[in-house]
C-alpha cells in the first residue's frame, strides 16, 4: 500500500461520499438484476459447460496460434511450492522474470519485474477484471495473501501482448483464472511452517454440484512471519467464497474474496556499510527518545483491508458464439503509521507552541477507495475464423487523508483532525476486437485493435491540479506459420500507450508513454521436447524512467526520456530426458538502453535502463523416482544491473545465482483422506548472501538483502 499514498495537503475533497454511494447502489442493483435473470436459466447439460470456465479469461488469454510470447502455470505446478510465499515468488523461475521481497523471505511485500519492467508496467487481471491499483498502477499482493491457493491457472504474456482490460502492458500482462467448480464434494486442510517463525494455515471446501446445478466453495487462510529483516513481520488473513450455477449452456459465478494485512515496514533498505556489518538491520521506526536512547516504534506498520466482489455470466449461445459479462466492485481501506522525530509543526497544520516549532509525533496516512465497473466479451469461432469482441468500463474513487494521532506538542489540534485531504478519480474505458484467421493449413493472421480512453483528476500540493484526458489507439497484428505439425514461426507488431501514474505528476510536466513492440519467435513441440524462442525489440517514446529521486514516502520519481529501447532474446524449453528426469531451462539476453539521455540539463548519451539486467537465466531439474514423489532443484541467475539511468558506479547491483530445493510426496490412502501430501522447500540451499533490489536516495545506494538458507515444510490433507 506504500505506493498508494502520494497525496498530502488537499485543495478539494467534494463529491467523494456521493460518488461512493452511487457506486455501491449501482453495483448492488445490477447484482440483484443478475440473480433475478439467473433464476430463469436453462436446465443442466454438462456437454458444453466444462469449456465455459475458459470464457472468463478467453478474451485476454492467448494460445500457441497467437504470435505472442507467453508462459502458463497450472494449479498442479503452483501447489508444489505454495507454502506461504507470494505469487511473484512462485513465478520466479519463468523466463525474463526477476522477483524481490522487502522482508527478505517472500512474505509481506514482494515485487516482480518482467523484461526489466516493474510491477507498475505489468497489467494484472483476475478473471479478466483489472487488479492493478488505478492511481499508482502497482500490484500489491500483500493485500491478497495466499491467493495462489485459489488460482486454477495463470498466464504471463511478455511484451505488450494482446489487448486486455486495465492499464496498458509495457513489460508484460498477467491474467489469472480462479478455481473452477467441483462436481463432487471436497475438503482440504493444509498447514506449513518454517524459518523466521513463518506459519500458514488454509482450509478449503466445496459442496460439489448440488442438484447437478449449484456449487458453493470457499477458502480461509491465515499467515504469519517474522521476516528475515529485523521486525519485518507480517500478519495476513484472507478469504475466498464462490457460488456457481451450472446450466445447459450457462455458467454463472458470484465471487467474494479479499484480505487483511498488517506488516511492519521494511521499505527503507540499508546502506552499503550496514549491509556488510548487519544485513538484517531495519531503520523503520527508529527514533531517539527524550533521554537520548535509540528506540524503535513498535507500530511502524502498514495496515490495509481489501474486499473484491465479482459476478460473471458465461453463455454458450451456439457452437459458434459464446459470451461473458461481468460486474465487479472492490473496496479498499487502510493506512500506514509512522513515528516522526522533530517534525515541522507547520507541515501538520499545527501552530507553534511559544518558541517551539517542531515536535515528535505519530502520523497515519490513509487511503479509502472504491473501484467498480464491468467487463464484457463475445466470441465467434468457425473452422478458419476466431473473433473476440470485448472491452470494459471501470471507475476509481479515492480519498487520501492524514491524521496525527499523537504529538509531544499537540498545539491547537483536535482528535481526528486531518492535516491533508485529497480526493481523486479515474475512469478507464476500452473496447477491442481480436481476430485469428487461418488463410491456409499453415499460415494464419492475427489482428487486434483497441481504443482506450482514460480520464484522471487529482489535486494535492505534490501533484498540483490534475485534470487529464487520454485517448489511446493500440493496434496489433501478426502472422503464424506452421512449417510442420511440430514447428511454428511467428512475427507480430504491437502498439501500446500508457498514462502517467500519480507520482509522475510530482515531477512537473509529464507526458504519456508510447511503445512499439516487435516479436519474432519459433516454437517446437513434441511429446518429449518443447522449445520456445523469441527475439524482441521494444522501442519507447517518452518512456518514464527512474530519476534516482524519491518522494516523501519513499516512492521513486520518474521523468520522461525521449527515446529508449529493449532488445532481447528469450529461450525456454521442457526436455523429458526419461520418464523420471525432466529439465526446464530458460534464459534471456538483452540490451536495454536510453538514447541521448539528458537529466536536469546534463547530457549522458546512451546509458543502460535502470533495473534491467542483461542476463536472466533459470532452470528446474525435476526427478520423479517413484509414483507420487516429486523432487526438483530450482536455479536462478540474475546479472548485474544499475539502480539509476546514469550508470553511477555506486548504483550497480551485483549479479547473483541462487538454488532452491523442492520436494513433494503424495499418498493416496483412499480411506478417510483422498490424499495426504507432504511438501518441503529449502530456499537458497548454498546460503548465498545476495541483494535482489535496491534504491537510490539521490546518489546514495540502499539495498534490500535477501535471506540465506531457509525452509518451509507443509502438510495437506484432502478428503
Amino acid at each position: 500500500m506504500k505506493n498508494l499514498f502520494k497525496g498530502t495537503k488537499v485543495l478539494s475533497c467534494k463529491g467523494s461520499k456521493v460518488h461512493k454511494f452511487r457506486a455501491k447502489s449501482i453495483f448492488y442493483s445490477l447484482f440483484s438484476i443478475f440473480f433475478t435473470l439467473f433464476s430463469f436459466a436453462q436446465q443442466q447439460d454438462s456437454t458444453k459447460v466444462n469449456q465455459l470456465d475458459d470464457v472468463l479469461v478467453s478474451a485476454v488469454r492467448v494460445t500457441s496460434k497467437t504470435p505472442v510470447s507467453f508462459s502458463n502455470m497450472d494449479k498442479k505446478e503452483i501447489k508444489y511450492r505454495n507454502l506461504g510465499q507470494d505469487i511473484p515468488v512462485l513465478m520466479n523461475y519463468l523466463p525474463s522474470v526477476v522477483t524481490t521481497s522487502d522482508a527478505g523471505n517472500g512474505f509481506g511485500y514482494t515485487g516482480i519485474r518482467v523484461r526489466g519492467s516493474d510491477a507498475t508496467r505489468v497489467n494484472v487481471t483476475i478473471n479478466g477484471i483489472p487488479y492493478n491499483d488505478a492511481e499508482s498502477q502497482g500490484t500489491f499482493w500483500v493485500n491478497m495473501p495466499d491467493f495462489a491457493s485459489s488460482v486454477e491457472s495463470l498466464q504471463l504474456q511478455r511484451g505488450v501482448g494482446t489487448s486486455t482490460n486495465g492499464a496498458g502492458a509495457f513489460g508484460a500482462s498477467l491474467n489469472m483464472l480462479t478455481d473452477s467448480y467441483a462436481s463432487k464434494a471436497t475438503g482440504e486442510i493444509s498447514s506449513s511452517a518454517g524459518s523466521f517463525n513463518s506459519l500458514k494455515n488454509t482450509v478449503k471446501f466445496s459442496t460439489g454440484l448440488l442438484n447437478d446445478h449449484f456449487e458453493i466453495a470457499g477458502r480461509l487462510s491465515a499467515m504469519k512471519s517474522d521476516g528475515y529483516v529485523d521486525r519485518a513481520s507480517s500478519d495476513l488473513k484472507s478469504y475466498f467464497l464462490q457460488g456457481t450455477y451450472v446450466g445447459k449452456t450457462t455458467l454463472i459465478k458470484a465471487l467474494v474474496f479479499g484480505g487483511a494485512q498488517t506488516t511492519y515496514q521494511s521499505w527503507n533498505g540499508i546502506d552499503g556499510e550496514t549491509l556488510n556489518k548487519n544485513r538484517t538491520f531495519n531503520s523503520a521506526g527508529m527514533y531517539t527518545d527524550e533521554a537520548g536512547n535509540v528506540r524503535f516504534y513498535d507500530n511502524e506498520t502498514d495496515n490495509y483491508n481489501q474486499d473484491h466482489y465479482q459476478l460473471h455470466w458465461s453463455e454458450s449461445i451456439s457452437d459458434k458464439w459464446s459470451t461473458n459479462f461481468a460486474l465487479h466492485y472492490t473496496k479498499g481501506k487502510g493506512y500506514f503509521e509512522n513515528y516522526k522525530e522533530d517534525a515541522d509543526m507547520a507541515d501538520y497544520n499545527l501552530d507553534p507552541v511559544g518558541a517551539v516549532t517542531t515536535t515528535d509525533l505519530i502520523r497515519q496516512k490513509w487511503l479509502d477507495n472504491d473501484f467498480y465497473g464491468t467487463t464484457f466479451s463475445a466470441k465467434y469461432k468457425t473452422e478458419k475464423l476466431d473473433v473476440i469482441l470485448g472491452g470494459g468500463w471501470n471507475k476509481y474513487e479515492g480519498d487520501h487523508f492524514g491524521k496525527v494521532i499523537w504529538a509531544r506538542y499537540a498545539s491547537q489540534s483536535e482528535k481526528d483532525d486531518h492535516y491533508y485531504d485529497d480526493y481523486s478519480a479515474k475512469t478507464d474505458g476500452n473496447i477491442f476486437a481480436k481476430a485469428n484467421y487461418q488463410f491456409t493449413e499453415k499460415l494464419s493472421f492475427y489482428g487486434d485493435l483497441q481504443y482506450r480512453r482514460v480520464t484522471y483528476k487529482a489535486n494535492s500540493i505534490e501533484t498540483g491540479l490534475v485534470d487529464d484526458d487520454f485517448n489511446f489507439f493500440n493496434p496489433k497484428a501478426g502472422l503464424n506459420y506452421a512449417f510442420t505439425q511440430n514447428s511454428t514461426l511467428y512475427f507480430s507488431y504491437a502498439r501500446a500507450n500508457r498514462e502517467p501514474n500519480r507520482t509522475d505528476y510530482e515531477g512537473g510536466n509529464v507526458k504519456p508513454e508510447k511503445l512499439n513492440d516487435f516479436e519474432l519467435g519459433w516454437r517446437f513441440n513434441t511429446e518429449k521436447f518443447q522449445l520456445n524462442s523469441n527475439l524482441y525489440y521494444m522501442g519507447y517514446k517518452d518512456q518514464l524512467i527512474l530519476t534516482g529521486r524519491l518522494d516523501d514516502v519513499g516512492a521513486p520519481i520518474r521523468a520522461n526520456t525521449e527515446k529508449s529501447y529493449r532488445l532481447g532474446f528469450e529461450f525456454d524449453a521442457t526436455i523429458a530426458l526419461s520418464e523420471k528426469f525432466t529439465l526446464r531451462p530458460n534464459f534471456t539476453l538483452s540490451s536495454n538502453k536510453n538514447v541521448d539521455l539528458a537529466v536536469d540539463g546534463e547530457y549522458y548519451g546512451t546509458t543502460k535502463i535502470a533495473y534491467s539486467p542483461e542476463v536472466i537465466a533459470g532452470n528446474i531439474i525435476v526427478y520423479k523416482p517413484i509414483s507420487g514423489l516429486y523432487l526438483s532443484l530450482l536455479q536462478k541467475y540474475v546479472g548485474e544491473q544499475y539502480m539509476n539511468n546514469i550508470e553511477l558506479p555506486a548504483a550497480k547491483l551485483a549479479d547473483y545465482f541462487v538454488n532452491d530445493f523442492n520436494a513433494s510426496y503424495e499418498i493416496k490412502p483412499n480411506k478417510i483422506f483422498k490424499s495426504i501430501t507432504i511438501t518441503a522447500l529449502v530456499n537458497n540451499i548454498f546460503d548465498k548472501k545476495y541483494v535482489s533490489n535496491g534504491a537510490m536516495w539521490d546518489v546514495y545506494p540502499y539495498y534490500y538483502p535477501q535471506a540465506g538458507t531457509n525452509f518451509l515444510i507443509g502438510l495437506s490433507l484432502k478428503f
Side-chain angles (χ1 to χ4, degrees), residues 283-329:
S283 63
M286 185 172 66
Y287 69 98
T288 303
D289 66 17
E290 294 298 284
N293 301 310
V294 175
R295 300 175 62 177
F296 293 91
Y297 180 52
D298 60 5
N299 200 39
E300 192 90 354
T301 56
D302 180 68
N303 307 265
Y304 200 68
N305 290 7
Q306 192 174 74
D307 300 291
H308 299 255
Y309 306 85
Q310 294 185 1
L311 180 62
H312 296 269
W313 187 337
S314 299
E315 191 76 34
S316 179
I317 299 173
S318 68
D319 291 337
K320 295 181 179 179
W321 282 98
S322 61
T323 61
N324 181 69
F325 184 76
L327 298 169
H328 68 88
Y329 171 64

Side-chain angles (χ1 to χ4, degrees), residues 37-86:
L37 293 171
F38 164 48
S39 65
F40 294 100
Q42 303 175 58
Q43 293 300 306
Q44 150 76 355
D45 179 352
S46 62
T47 55
K48 296 181 180 178
V49 168
N50 290 335
Q51 300 174 3
L52 282 168
D53 238 354
D54 294 333
V55 177
L56 297 182
V57 292
S58 63
V60 295
R61 282 203 174 174
V62 298
T63 68
S64 58
K65 290 188 176 182
T66 312
V68 170
S69 176
F70 69 95
S71 299
N72 292 327
M73 286 183 70
D74 60 20
K75 197 173 194 68
K76 183 178 180 180
E77 186 175 355
I78 292 171
K79 76 173 184 178
Y80 289 128
R81 292 184 286 126
N82 184 22
L83 298 172
Q85 293 179 307
D86 229 334

Side-chain angles (χ1 to χ4, degrees), residues 31 180 284 296 353 437 650 672 716:
F31 206 87
S180 181
F296 293 91
V353 179
Y437 184 73
I672 304 178
S716 178

Side-chain angles (χ1 to χ4, degrees), residues 451-676:
Y451 169 73
R452 180 168 175 252
R453 178 176 172 82
V454 179
T455 63
Y456 179 58
K457 297 181 180 181
N459 197 356
S460 73
I461 286 181
E462 274 74 17
T463 65
L465 178 62
V466 179
D467 188 357
D468 273 348
D469 291 320
F470 302 97
N471 292 278
F472 299 136
F473 176 58
N474 302 312
K476 307 169 184 70
L479 294 171
N480 208 66
Y481 185 79
F483 291 100
T484 66
Q485 186 177 358
N486 301 323
S487 179
T488 304
L489 182 72
Y490 66 84
F491 172 77
S492 67
Y493 162 77
R495 171 79 165 183
N497 294 271
R498 188 178 179 86
E499 72 278 11
N501 68 22
R502 182 183 177 91
T503 308
D504 294 330
Y505 286 96
E506 297 180 22
N509 296 325
V510 62
K511 303 175 186 177
E513 305 172 90
K514 305 172 185 66
L515 168 61
N516 292 301
D517 182 16
F518 299 87
E519 308 270 338
L520 175 63
W522 177 53
R523 299 186 177 110
F524 183 79
N525 190 350
T526 66
E527 184 179 352
K528 294 186 177 182
F529 182 67
Q530 295 88 45
L531 179 151
N532 301 288
S533 59
N534 187 68
L535 180 66
Y536 64 87
Y537 176 81
M538 303 170 70
Y540 298 87
K541 169 69 174 174
D542 296 324
Q543 183 182 185
L544 285 160
I545 61 169
L546 301 174
T547 62
R549 299 192 300 272
L550 301 171
D551 69 6
D552 66 333
V553 293
I557 294 177
R558 304 183 300 181
N560 292 112
T561 184
E562 185 176 355
K563 186 178 180 181
S564 54
Y565 68 87
R566 299 182 187 276
L567 173 65
F569 175 73
E570 296 169 325
F571 170 92
D572 70 277
T574 300
I575 307 166
L577 299 177
S578 68
E579 291 184 359
K580 296 183 178 181
F581 273 104
T582 304
L583 298 180
R584 295 174 57 191
N586 68 76
F587 66 84
T588 301
L589 304 176
S590 65
S591 176
N592 311 276
K593 298 294 179 66
N594 301 295
V595 179
D596 296 327
L597 177 67
V599 178
D600 296 330
E602 186 171 351
Y603 179 76
Y604 290 93
T606 299
T607 66
K608 295 180 180 180
I609 299 176
Y611 301 104
S612 301
E614 294 180 345
V615 182
I616 303 171
N619 187 35
I620 302 178
I621 304 172
V622 179
Y623 178 50
K624 299 177 181 178
I626 59 175
S627 176
L629 180 60
Y630 173 100
L631 306 174
S632 63
L633 177 67
L634 304 101
Q635 303 173 302
K636 188 74 175 187
Y637 174 80
V638 177
E640 64 181 27
Q641 54 190 302
Y642 283 96
M643 295 183 289
N644 66 12
N645 289 273
I646 59 175
E647 298 184 6
L648 283 177
K652 183 182 288 187
L653 277 179
D655 62 345
Y656 59 89
F657 179 51
V658 180
N659 293 264
D660 300 340
F661 177 75
N662 184 206
S664 179
Y665 184 51
E666 183 178 18
I667 306 167
K668 295 184 177 180
N670 294 322
K671 292 182 179 179
I672 304 178
F673 299 109
K674 292 180 180 178
S675 73
I676 301 172

